[in-house]
Amino acid sequence: MKRSFAWILGALLIAGATTPSATAQTSELSVQKIMQDPATWVGSQPAGFQWSEDGDWLYFRWNPQGAFASDSLFKVPANGGDYEQVDREGRLAIRPTFSGWDHGEHTYDADFSRKVFTDDGDIYLYHREDGALKRLTATGDNEGNVRFAPGGGSIVYVRDGNAYKLNLETAVLTQLTDLQSGSERGDRPSDKQDSWLEDQQTDLFDVIRQRQEEQEARAAARERDEAAMDDGPPVHRFGDGRVIGLQVDPSERYASFTIFRQGGPGKRTIVQNYVTESGYAEDLNARSKVGVDEEPRTVFVQDLESGDVVEVDLTQLPGAYDVKPIHLLDDGVEVDSSKARVLQAGSLSWSGDGKYAVIQVTAGDNKDRWIARLDPATGDLTLLDRQTDDAWIGGPNVGWFSGGSLGWLPDNRTIWFQSEESGYSHLYSVDVETGEKRQLTSGDFEVTSVFLTQDGEDFLIVTSESSPHERHLYRMSVEGGRPRALTIDVGQQNVAISPNEDRAAIRYSTDTQPFELYLQEFGQDARRITHSTTEAWEAYDWRTPEMVHIPASDGEQVPGHLFRPENPNGGAVLFVHGAGYLQNVHNWWSSYFREYMFHNLLTDLGYTVVQLDFRASSGYGRDWRTAIYRHMGGRDLQDYVDASQWVGDEFDIDPERVFIYGGSYGGFITLMALFNEAEHFGGGAALRSVTDWAHYNHGYTSNILNTPVNDSLAFARSSPINFAEGLEDPLLMPHGVIDTNVQYQDIIRLAQRLIELGKEDWEVASYPVEGHGFQEPSSWTDEYRRILKLIEETVGPNAFR
């Protein structure tokens, strides 16, 4: 855009009141109405729904019409009837709730007649037949990882980094492990310099040698005495750190655990909060930046009879030394394959009989995920599955630290898990004895959740098989085969299966209807339980956006939503969703509900509005997800360039009248669009935007761009701050001052860059009490008044007169 607007001229402003300019068309909506408290305007949607353990009641949290200060607890009978608010006594009562049958976890006994669970750090025993509830512990410590021992006569649990066994008949408590911090006697310093100095002192001085010998003799005598008197568990000292993931196998022969060492070389960042109760500015500790050196995380197994501890050598896994090359010669990156990558182990998963143990391991660069059987006596690993990806491992229930979802079938030798091996996240099983693997679901769709029935014969799964824009519940044999649909209504089904497995609670929505709670007996029509929306909100005729597919320059069809005005004013607005890996083009109520309402307002005013599930979005498989590898602002931005051209071809809208905006990742794409593709846009608003990926967090960024040290090219071509010279169009950049995710420093650094470049027509709007997700209606209102004002001044019907 060649025009110059004098509406800001590069000032850094604290957000204040603005007023939108006059428009040729009007709407019964306004920014202030849209951005008011959603609980009292749209209506508070039910959430947190859970079945009672006996299946008689469904509990949920809700605040109908904003009647309470916060959500309150309600319940509804499973077989029908009206909901009722739970009184104070009921809210405070210990209430065992159902969350699945936990095959292999043993929170139920063998015949499912009893359940053991924790509440507020204490352990309770629940009898499912008569509802009797017994408290088993009342301590100041937090008990966790509780399960029944084989036979059901005892329970095993973890407290303060050690495992205990409680006999339910005699109430005798036995300590099973004695894991202690600190070093074993005689352990040498880990620092080579300190170790050398210690050797020198011992060699030089007789008195030191004599004292060492005396100490060792006394220690040996003490250990002999302790061994003769003590029948407790063997002691293991693990040095610094703390024990996490401690488990005792069902046979009670082995304990497995990981040592977590906090800190590391990564510096934490600081965010300052200026609006405080004390009147003093306060520092908020935040994350480290991408490129932090990760610590390997492995698993230890202790033989509880002998006390011997085995550290599982993860480098024995095939491919541990396969350092992935960065596939560009002009990087000058050399790959050193003589060292293993940093490997991160999740906790062990033991079969119900304790015969088998399975571990998931991920590479620090997240380009490999292994599932292996572990021999606890030797630490030997036998590979069961390896998923590798030249970009990064991901997808629904796949990847990240733990490796993804995994469970046991009742035969105690078959596990199920999910993998993107086929290009989509699907369900697999593998026999851990023979290694025979089976793919249970297949096709161009994703499995998003898995539930195993009580008898272990069927899976209840939620998938996108019917459409990438919907989610439905299916029943399928654990042997595989054709799934049978249990829900059919258009939209998304967030489900909670009842313990009887004959019905489900469904949190259901459509494009124009926020989430409401339904009960459905399988084979029958679903019955609506709640009505949350207000009369004022319902009075407006909310639009169902058209599903469109925009032809991309590489031949793909990019899913989009189109808001088509009755009286077009010649301008268009393109919205970019955040997170990157997120889906916004679907047939259910959007998490961007404020933007949805804003788009209705814009459509009333005559603007054509388009939003895309651009490359990197979720819901479309591996290739769509990883299309941005090593170049954020490449293929994803091109999808919006193609969208700008599409609205020009379809609706005769000049590119100078196309506005682009979005938050977080959407703000990043907006900056890249205005800095690199200015000829396709006339202005934009980049909300809480990443301006330099070298300053974002490690877990997210390193997957996609590697690290600044080993892949500087990827960071250079993906960071908007490097392309600020290309700004030609008016730009608004709202940002929360106490944003600990995309930090305020990000936008201030870009502001300084724009100042030094002499750029005009840009504004930073600062919101002192807001983080990454705004909370205050006043902040939302101010932000979107500014956005609307800029849209009308840059691409609106009066902008070119």
Side-chain angles (χ1 to χ4, degrees):
M1 177 179 288
K2 300 300 187 288
R3 306 182 315 278
S4 175
F5 288 86
W7 58 286
I8 290 298
L9 299 178
L12 292 173
L13 300 180
I14 295 296
T18 63
T19 55
S21 59
T23 58
Q25 300 180 55
T26 61
S27 172
E28 60 188 275
L29 298 175
S30 67
V31 170
Q32 186 172 13
K33 178 184 286 189
I34 288 170
M35 299 302 167
Q36 63 185 296
D37 183 357
T40 55
W41 157 233
V42 181
S44 178
Q45 300 162 62
F49 54 107
Q50 288 183 305
W51 289 97
S52 62
E53 186 62 43
D54 57 15
D56 291 342
W57 294 92
L58 177 71
Y59 291 91
F60 60 98
R61 305 201 70 84
W62 192 34
N63 187 4
Q65 313 298 316
F68 308 102
S70 60
D71 285 1
S72 187
L73 186 67
F74 289 79
K75 66 179 183 179
V76 62
N79 57 358
D82 297 329
Y83 63 80
E84 60 185 78
Q85 188 177 9
V86 179
D87 60 21
R88 183 177 184 274
E89 182 178 350
R91 291 197 309 273
L92 297 178
I94 303 300
R95 188 173 54 259
T97 55
F98 179 73
S99 57
W101 293 113
D102 292 333
H103 291 274
E105 300 298 323
H106 291 289
T107 55
Y108 294 93
D109 58 11
D111 62 0
F112 296 96
S113 64
R114 295 176 299 166
K115 180 179 183 177
V116 63
F117 67 97
T118 59
D119 186 277
D120 197 25
D122 287 315
I123 301 174
Y124 295 81
L125 180 67
Y126 176 73
H127 293 261
R128 301 184 70 243
E129 183 175 355
D130 60 8
L133 186 67
K134 182 179 181 180
R135 186 172 188 168
L136 300 181
T137 64
T139 70
D141 294 321
N142 283 320
E143 285 89 22
N145 291 5
V146 61
R147 64 165 177 79
F148 281 101
S154 302
I155 62 167
V156 176
Y157 63 91
V158 174
R159 181 181 70 207
D160 195 25
N162 276 295
Y164 297 83
K165 181 178 180 179
L166 177 65
N167 188 300
L168 296 176
E169 295 180 2
T170 66
V172 172
L173 181 65
T174 304
Q175 186 171 347
L176 300 179
T177 65
D178 193 357
L179 305 176
Q180 300 180 16
S181 60
S183 301
E184 301 285 357
R185 296 185 184 95
D187 280 358
R188 293 174 60 78
S190 58
D191 183 272
K192 292 181 180 180
Q193 173 67 11
D194 289 347
S195 181
W196 186 90
L197 290 172
E198 184 179 281
D199 288 342
Q200 184 193 45
Q201 295 294 91
T202 304
D203 291 339
L204 286 174
F205 302 109
D206 289 339
V207 65
I208 290 179
R209 286 195 302 272
Q210 292 170 0
R211 289 176 179 175
Q212 286 176 343
E213 291 170 359
E214 291 171 0
Q215 289 173 354
E216 290 170 0
R218 286 195 298 269
R222 185 166 56 250
E223 288 174 355
R224 287 193 299 269
D225 292 343
E226 289 174 353
M229 295 184 299
D230 187 15
D231 60 354
V235 175
H236 174 69
R237 295 187 181 276
F238 53 81
D240 297 331
R242 59 185 176 89
V243 174
I244 61 173
L246 173 61
Q247 298 181 75
V248 175
D249 85 280
S251 73
E252 297 174 15
R253 172 67 185 274
Y254 298 101
S256 60
F257 57 92
T258 296
I259 304 302
F260 177 71
R261 292 179 173 87
Q262 213 157 8
K267 291 183 179 179
R268 309 293 292 183
T269 54
I270 300 294
V271 171
Q272 261 200 331
N273 183 10
Y274 295 99
V275 183
T276 64
E277 290 184 11
S278 67
Y280 290 88
E282 298 174 357
D283 289 340
L284 305 177
N285 289 320
R287 54 168 174 78
S288 57
K289 298 188 179 185
V290 62
V292 58
D293 292 328
E294 293 185 295
E295 290 289 327
R297 185 172 295 181
T298 190
V299 165
F300 298 82
V301 180
Q302 183 179 33
D303 186 321
L304 297 181
E305 293 182 2
S306 68
D308 295 338
V309 175
V310 173
E311 180 177 356
V312 179
D313 179 11
L314 302 180
T315 65
Q316 64 185 288
L317 290 166
Y321 289 85
D322 292 351
V323 180
K324 301 294 184 182
I326 297 168
H327 298 292
L328 277 185
L329 297 178
D330 57 358
D331 267 331
V333 175
E334 295 183 3
V335 176
D336 183 0
S337 59
S338 66
K339 298 180 180 178
R341 288 175 285 170
V342 172
L343 301 179
Q344 305 278 3
S347 298
L348 264 68
S349 181
W350 296 92
S351 61
D353 56 8
K355 185 177 179 180
Y356 300 105
V358 169
I359 187 173
Q360 294 194 76
V361 180
T362 55
D365 60 15
N366 209 16
K367 299 183 191 315
D368 267 295
R369 190 278 306 270
W370 298 267
I371 301 175
R373 188 181 78 231
L374 170 69
D375 182 338
T378 64
D380 292 340
L381 297 173
T382 302
L383 183 68
L384 299 173
D385 181 74
R386 177 188 178 189
Q387 184 187 336
T388 186
D389 197 307
D390 288 339
W392 75 96
I393 302 292
N397 301 319
V398 183
W400 304 106
F401 165 69
S402 66
S405 298
L406 182 148
W408 288 90
L409 297 185
D411 64 3
N412 285 324
R413 62 177 285 169
T414 306
I415 60 168
W416 61 263
F417 63 95
Q418 286 184 238
S419 171
E420 256 191 349
E421 177 183 348
S422 68
Y424 291 84
S425 182
H426 279 295
L427 186 60
Y428 293 77
S429 68
V430 62
D431 186 313
V432 301
E433 178 64 36
T434 67
E436 179 185 357
K437 186 175 76 171
R438 300 179 61 188
Q439 183 173 349
L440 303 178
T441 60
S442 62
D444 293 350
F445 64 90
E446 296 180 328
V447 176
T448 56
S449 64
V450 180
F451 177 94
L452 189 60
T453 57
Q454 183 177 5
D455 59 16
E457 295 183 359
D458 292 310
F459 289 114
L460 297 172
I461 57 176
V462 176
T463 81
S464 58
E465 181 175 1
S466 65
S467 165
H469 312 294
E470 297 185 8
R471 301 291 184 270
H472 289 289
L473 178 67
Y474 297 82
R475 191 179 191 108
M476 183 186 73
S477 167
V478 295
E479 301 297 323
R482 182 68 183 171
R484 178 168 60 90
L486 299 178
T487 56
I488 58 175
D489 289 334
V490 174
Q492 184 189 42
Q493 325 286 324
N494 293 334
V495 299
I497 310 299
S498 77
N500 299 326
E501 298 176 0
D502 62 345
R503 66 194 66 218
I506 302 174
R507 190 170 176 263
Y508 174 72
S509 71
T510 65
D511 290 297
T512 61
Q513 175 62 54
F515 284 97
E516 299 286 4
L517 192 61
Y518 290 73
L519 278 176
Q520 180 183 3
E521 184 176 353
F522 296 138
Q524 306 294 323
D525 292 335
R527 186 173 67 85
R528 183 169 173 171
I529 302 300
T530 61
H531 187 116
S532 302
T533 50
T534 68
E535 290 184 4
W537 187 84
E538 292 171 352
Y540 181 83
D541 187 15
W542 300 102
R543 293 173 174 83
T544 300
E546 299 176 39
M547 188 72 69
V548 295
H549 288 83
I550 293 174
S553 54
D554 64 351
E556 292 286 351
Q557 297 289 315
V558 181
H561 272 161
L562 169 66
F563 294 79
R564 187 193 300 263
E566 293 183 9
N567 300 300
N569 67 14
V573 176
L574 307 184
F575 173 66
V576 192
H577 70 66
Y581 191 64
L582 179 147
Q583 187 175 10
N584 194 39
V585 178
H586 47 60
N587 295 328
W588 62 83
W589 185 245
S590 177
S591 57
Y592 289 97
F593 62 92
R594 291 182 179 88
E595 288 78 0
Y596 166 75
M597 294 187 288
F598 184 60
H599 296 163
N600 274 267
L601 167 60
L602 291 175
T603 309
D604 286 344
L605 300 180
Y607 294 97
T608 300
V609 182
V610 176
Q611 58 190 25
L612 303 180
D613 275 347
F614 52 91
R615 245 61 71 92
S617 299
S618 63
Y620 305 94
R622 181 265 173 197
D623 290 349
W624 204 267
R625 174 177 63 81
T626 62
I628 60 169
Y629 178 58
R630 300 194 67 236
H631 193 184
M632 293 171 166
R635 186 63 256 178
D636 44 3
L637 171 59
Q638 185 60 47
D639 287 343
Y640 273 90
V641 171
D642 296 339
S644 175
Q645 294 173 330
W646 180 78
V647 297
D649 294 339
E650 291 289 315
F651 305 110
D652 195 27
I653 296 175
D654 189 277
E656 291 295 297
R657 297 199 59 190
V658 176
F659 188 92
I660 184 170
Y661 89 103
S664 195
Y665 198 95
F668 152 72
I669 289 293
T670 298
L671 293 177
M672 293 293 272
L674 297 190
F675 293 172
N676 291 317
E677 301 287 350
E679 65 272 25
H680 297 287
F681 305 97
L687 292 61
R688 54 192 180 276
S689 53
V690 176
T691 69
D692 187 344
W693 287 107
H695 291 259
Y696 198 52
N697 69 41
H698 184 81
Y700 180 92
T701 316
S702 63
N703 284 338
I704 306 172
L705 300 181
N706 303 302
T707 65
V709 171
N710 70 16
D711 199 355
S712 58
L713 175 61
F715 282 82
R717 67 185 178 186
S718 299
S719 296
I721 198 167
N722 297 324
F723 305 100
E725 177 65 47
L727 180 63
E728 298 179 4
D729 304 302
L731 170 62
L732 171 66
M733 296 178 288
H735 213 104
V737 174
I738 56 173
D739 190 336
T740 57
N741 182 15
V742 181
Q743 296 171 3
Y744 191 58
Q745 180 191 24
D746 240 43
I747 206 66
I748 294 303
R749 291 176 70 248
L750 178 59
Q752 180 61 26
R753 179 72 177 143
L754 293 171
I755 291 170
E756 292 180 4
L757 289 169
K759 293 295 178 178
E760 301 179 353
D761 295 346
W762 58 271
E763 174 192 18
V764 172
S766 301
Y767 294 86
V769 300
E770 299 294 354
H772 196 60
F774 282 19
Q775 299 294 321
E776 298 300 323
S778 58
S779 299
W780 282 104
T781 300
D782 183 276
E783 181 180 44
Y784 274 79
R785 278 177 176 166
R786 291 173 181 273
I787 294 171
L788 179 58
K789 181 175 185 289
L790 182 55
I791 289 171
E792 298 201 277
E793 289 181 343
T794 55
V795 303
N798 298 321
F800 287 79
R801 292 182 178 178

